[in-house]
Amino acid sequence: MAAAGGLPASATLLLLVIAAVAVAPLASAVRPVSDAHRSAAAELFAASPDGSFGDLETTYEAVRTFQILGVEKDKGLIGKACKFAAEKLASSSSSPAKDLFHAARISGVLKCSVDSGVYDDVATRLKAVIKDTNSLLELYYSVGGLLSIKEQGHNVVLPDADNTFHAIKALSQSDGRWRYDTNSAESSTFAAGIALEALSAVISLADSEVDSSMIAVVKNDIVKLFDTIKSYDDGTFYFDEKHVDAAEYKGPITTSASVVRGVTSFAAVASGKLNIPGEKILGLAKFFLGIGLPGSAKDCFNQIEVFVPLVLSLPSKVFSLTSKDQLKVEVTTVFGSAAPPLRVNLVQVLGSDSKVITTETKELQFDLDNNVHYLDIAPLKIDVGKYSLVFEISLQEQEHETIYATGGTNTEAIFVTGLIKVDKAEIGISDNDAGTVESVQKIDLQKDTSVSLSANHLQKLRLSFQLSTPLGKTFKPHQVFLKLKHDESKVEHLFVVPGSARQFKIDFLGLVEKFYYLSGRYDLELAVGDAAMENSFLRALGHIELDLPEAPEKAPKPPAQAVDPFSKFGPKKEISHIFRSPEKRPPKELSFAFTGLTLLPIVGFLIGLMRLGVNLKNFPSLPAPAAFASLFHAGIGAVLLLYVLFWIKLDLFTTLKYLSFLGVFLVFVGHRALSYLSSTSAKQKTA
């Protein structure tokens, strides 16, 4: 990509609008727009019953966003939106230029059927506004509306285009920004974007070529405007306002979108070059792609309409030398649609230390069925590890060069794995002083082994092995551990083996205290692992008998072993239990005698009733008093039954609960029954 030396105007347009993004941080972070963006757009732009999405401006932004994203809308809603726009166009004499501008654009997007006479009236109205205004916004809406009508197939020409061009240019400032009108004290970056759009519309509507010197001046203004661009540390560039009123502040997304639309529109109609640094163009691309899912309808429209880049990406960034994976590259638009016919070349391979591995250019083959470019990685002669692949894209058809730009290169990070060869493995015991080897055993680390070693505290354990990559280079694994586990106390000791060391030694003399002076058998295990190593392993090596000195009095004790938290859920120890012999019971006759004694009070009660001469002579004869008397006696019977239930079944609290209800019941019915008897007795005495 050209830097400050200059970009063709058409190339600048396409870098900003349909750019083939070719910068490592951008490509690695970007994937095609997903259904989440389409869902977000459908939620952000909610239509009202009349088919509009609020005002005309929001309606246009909605239908344009849906058009770009391919969101299907029902025909009834489209018809209502067309009617909404047509009604505004039909009343052109009383409608402001802004409404006519957006209504014409809605009609263009939805291909609404509008009578040519209506468009003639709208064009006349807009031309009149151009003559009578010095407002940038009014000029922008007017010439933009005329251009939209022309793009729909109507013959529209702007007379005296040079004067209109000068009127807009007169509002520009020395730093590339624009004022909204001649009375404005402050200039605006957002206004610069709409001014450039208006100037491009004037050039398109002119009946003759606009003064080339004025176009050159505007190009210089664009360069100055890009000098005011702001940036983040990660290479993201964006435009924002400097000093404007709060009511006029648009925010970075809207301001950047305005500038991008203005520059791309002007570059599409102006010949020659725009001297815009390429890194700023790609920084703007990164800004819009970094928005993610927009939070408002305006941001959604600005992100989608301004920027439709091509994205180079890798479906997978991990490759296996063992399975001979192919390098696959996808090139799509950010909306997931297919790219035009193009070639993808691998031009450079860099190692993890940025060292150049190869600079031989290799063209990737294209799989039409799967829409991916592919290349076998075996001829690249790359080993296991991290690499950076540098790609270059070129279009196959010349006519696409005016639609897509493919400047620059694209860097993608990949990770290569493979089988690591393990050989020359030995384990043995050596003397601590002279270094002479007493016993050495060759071991096979491809499987568990069972070596048997013995040593005292004056000796060393020596372990050595070699690892090599598929290309025969020495491999340094990320993690190598040797574990010694005391067979009796289960105390474990873990030693980190340096990955770069070909031979590892454990000096027992300096580790006596760490081993807690525990002599006896220690099991040996070796673990070797690395993300690039497909055959990482954990191997049992055997055991070693250690003879360590006796522990002094104040020697540290071995730590208590952790209890398995799940052990409590295991089988429990069987419980043996003998029930005690039942106590000796009293004779049966004695039990019956006491039962009879408990019944004596009832017998006494019945005898008392008989002695008293209990009868039913005073039992009420009238229905109501008789009912209350019957209920009273039934309640007393219920209380007696409750006593029996308490004796054989119920507990004290339950009995008291039922007794409380029965007590209230007895008080009520007993009072009524006794009241009747009292009144009857009083009447008899009176008589």
Side-chain angles (χ1 to χ4, degrees), residues 83-142:
K83 182 181 178 182
F84 183 45
E87 290 175 351
K88 187 61 63 175
L89 293 171
S91 58
S92 59
S93 59
S94 60
S95 299
K98 178 180 179 180
D99 289 350
L100 298 176
F101 166 66
H102 292 302
R105 294 205 296 177
I106 293 171
S107 178
V109 171
L110 299 180
K111 295 179 173 55
C112 303
S113 177
V114 179
D115 186 73
S116 59
V118 172
Y119 272 143
D120 290 340
D121 293 340
V122 172
T124 301
R125 162 71 172 150
L126 294 177
K127 290 176 182 178
V129 173
I130 294 173
K131 290 182 179 180
D132 299 335
T133 187
N134 63 353
S135 167
L136 176 60
L137 288 174
E138 290 295 305
L139 290 169
Y140 166 70
Y141 294 137
S142 299

Side-chain angles (χ1 to χ4, degrees), residues 98-378:
K98 178 180 179 180
D99 289 350
L100 298 176
F101 166 66
H102 292 302
R105 294 205 296 177
I106 293 171
S107 178
V109 171
L110 299 180
K111 295 179 173 55
C112 303
S113 177
V114 179
D115 186 73
S116 59
V118 172
Y119 272 143
D120 290 340
D121 293 340
V122 172
T124 301
R125 162 71 172 150
L126 294 177
K127 290 176 182 178
V129 173
I130 294 173
K131 290 182 179 180
D132 299 335
T133 187
N134 63 353
S135 167
L136 176 60
L137 288 174
E138 290 295 305
L139 290 169
Y140 166 70
Y141 294 137
S142 299
V143 296
L146 292 174
L147 180 61
S148 181
I149 295 172
K150 180 179 180 179
E151 289 174 345
Q152 295 176 52
H154 297 270
N155 184 21
V156 179
V157 176
L158 180 63
D160 203 10
D162 280 337
N163 285 340
T164 305
F165 194 99
H166 281 83
I168 299 172
K169 181 64 182 72
L171 299 174
S172 66
Q173 301 296 290
S174 59
D175 58 357
R177 295 185 296 158
W178 251 260
R179 292 180 297 161
Y180 285 103
D181 54 51
T182 54
N183 298 323
S184 298
E186 296 290 342
S187 55
S188 166
T189 306
F190 175 82
I194 63 174
L196 292 172
E197 276 195 85
L199 291 174
S200 65
V202 171
I203 296 173
S204 300
L205 294 168
D207 55 355
S208 60
E209 188 173 345
V210 177
D211 186 358
S212 59
S213 63
M214 291 301 299
I215 293 178
V217 172
V218 174
K219 289 181 180 179
N220 188 50
D221 289 340
I222 293 174
V223 174
K224 293 179 181 178
L225 182 63
F226 269 82
D227 289 338
T228 67
I229 197 170
K230 299 181 180 181
S231 66
Y232 295 115
D233 294 337
D234 62 352
T236 299
F237 285 85
Y238 66 97
F239 286 96
D240 202 0
E241 299 288 10
K242 286 187 176 180
H243 304 288
V244 295
D245 295 336
E248 297 180 357
Y249 183 71
K250 305 296 182 181
I253 296 177
T254 302
T255 303
S256 299
S258 174
V259 174
V260 170
R261 273 193 293 265
V263 172
T264 53
S265 299
F266 191 81
V269 297
S271 59
K273 295 181 178 181
L274 295 177
N275 294 321
I276 301 175
E279 65 271 13
K280 293 184 179 180
I281 295 173
L282 293 176
L284 276 171
K286 188 174 182 179
F287 172 74
F288 282 104
L289 291 174
I291 295 172
L293 291 177
S296 67
K298 178 69 73 174
D299 288 348
C300 180
F301 168 72
N302 286 326
Q303 181 192 30
I304 298 303
E305 200 229 12
V306 166
F307 201 70
V308 189
L310 291 176
V311 178
L312 185 148
S313 58
L314 304 183
S316 174
K317 295 191 176 185
V318 179
F319 302 92
S320 171
L321 295 176
T322 307
S323 56
K324 298 180 180 179
D325 292 341
Q326 287 184 327
L327 171 64
K328 295 181 179 180
V329 174
E330 292 180 346
V331 181
T332 63
T333 70
V334 77
F335 304 110
S337 58
L342 49 80
R343 285 184 293 272
V344 179
N345 293 325
L346 177 63
V347 297
Q348 196 174 52
V349 179
L350 304 175
S352 58
D353 55 356
S354 299
K355 181 180 178 181
V356 178
I357 306 299
T358 178
T359 56
E360 181 182 358
T361 300
K362 292 185 178 295
E363 182 178 349
L364 278 68
Q365 302 299 312
F366 183 65
D367 182 355
L368 184 60
D369 294 334
N370 298 311
N371 196 30
V372 296
H373 301 261
Y374 66 91
L375 177 70
D376 292 330
I377 62 174

Side-chain angles (χ1 to χ4, degrees), residues 422-427 441-445 464-466:
V422 186
D423 56 5
K424 296 182 180 180
E426 293 180 346
I427 189 170
Q441 299 184 40
K442 295 184 180 297
I443 55 177
D444 183 5
L445 294 180
S464 63
F465 57 90
Q466 290 185 4

Side-chain angles (χ1 to χ4, degrees), residues 435-663:
T436 57
V437 178
E438 291 190 357
S439 61
V440 174
Q441 299 184 40
K442 295 184 180 297
I443 55 177
D444 183 5
L445 294 180
Q446 300 298 328
K447 59 183 180 181
D448 290 341
T449 58
S450 56
V451 300
S452 179
L453 303 171
S454 61
N456 57 40
H457 65 287
L458 300 177
Q459 293 178 309
K460 295 180 180 179
L461 173 66
R462 184 173 67 88
L463 174 66
S464 63
F465 57 90
Q466 290 185 4
L467 303 177
S468 54
T469 66
L471 295 186
K473 299 179 182 179
T474 300
F475 181 73
K476 299 177 181 180
H478 183 64
Q479 292 180 334
V480 182
F481 299 105
L482 179 64
K483 184 174 74 173
L484 279 71
K485 182 178 181 180
H486 192 240
D487 188 58
E488 183 178 347
S489 66
K490 306 303 180 184
V491 175
E492 296 181 353
H493 305 280
L494 199 64
F495 298 91
V496 179
V497 181
S500 59
R502 294 189 176 184
Q503 182 170 297
F504 176 69
K505 294 181 180 180
I506 297 179
D507 187 354
F508 295 116
L509 180 60
L511 298 173
V512 171
E513 187 172 330
K514 182 179 179 181
F515 278 80
Y516 304 105
Y517 298 90
L518 295 176
S519 299
R521 171 171 169 157
Y522 286 80
D523 293 326
L524 301 172
E525 279 188 346
L526 177 67
V528 179
D530 193 280
M533 187 176 178
E534 295 178 3
N535 54 332
S536 299
F537 59 84
L538 173 65
R539 295 282 179 258
L541 304 181
H543 69 276
I544 180 173
E545 290 284 345
L546 280 182
D547 183 14
L548 302 179
E550 292 292 332
E553 285 188 19
K554 297 184 179 180
K557 301 296 182 182
Q561 296 303 299
V563 178
D564 183 5
F566 296 101
S567 61
K568 62 182 179 181
F569 301 112
K572 302 298 183 181
K573 185 178 180 180
E574 184 179 353
I575 300 175
S576 298
H577 179 70
I578 299 176
F579 290 96
R580 66 181 181 179
S581 300
E583 297 180 358
K584 188 177 181 181
R585 295 180 178 258
K588 181 170 58 175
E589 294 76 7
L590 183 61
S591 298
F592 284 140
F594 273 95
T595 303
L597 289 175
T598 59
L599 295 176
L600 282 178
I602 299 177
V603 175
F605 174 71
L606 295 175
I607 293 173
L609 291 178
M610 295 173 64
R611 297 280 299 188
L612 292 173
V614 175
N615 55 68
L616 300 177
K617 292 180 180 179
N618 291 329
F619 197 86
S621 57
L622 296 176
F628 284 112
S630 299
L631 290 175
F632 178 71
H633 287 83
I636 293 175
V639 171
L640 294 175
L641 178 62
L642 184 62
Y643 288 160
V644 174
L645 292 175
F646 170 67
W647 182 263
I648 63 176
K649 183 177 182 180
L650 299 179
D651 58 71
L652 178 62
F653 294 102
T654 304
T655 303
L656 291 175
K657 179 177 70 174
Y658 293 147
L659 187 60
S660 63
F661 291 115
L662 285 173

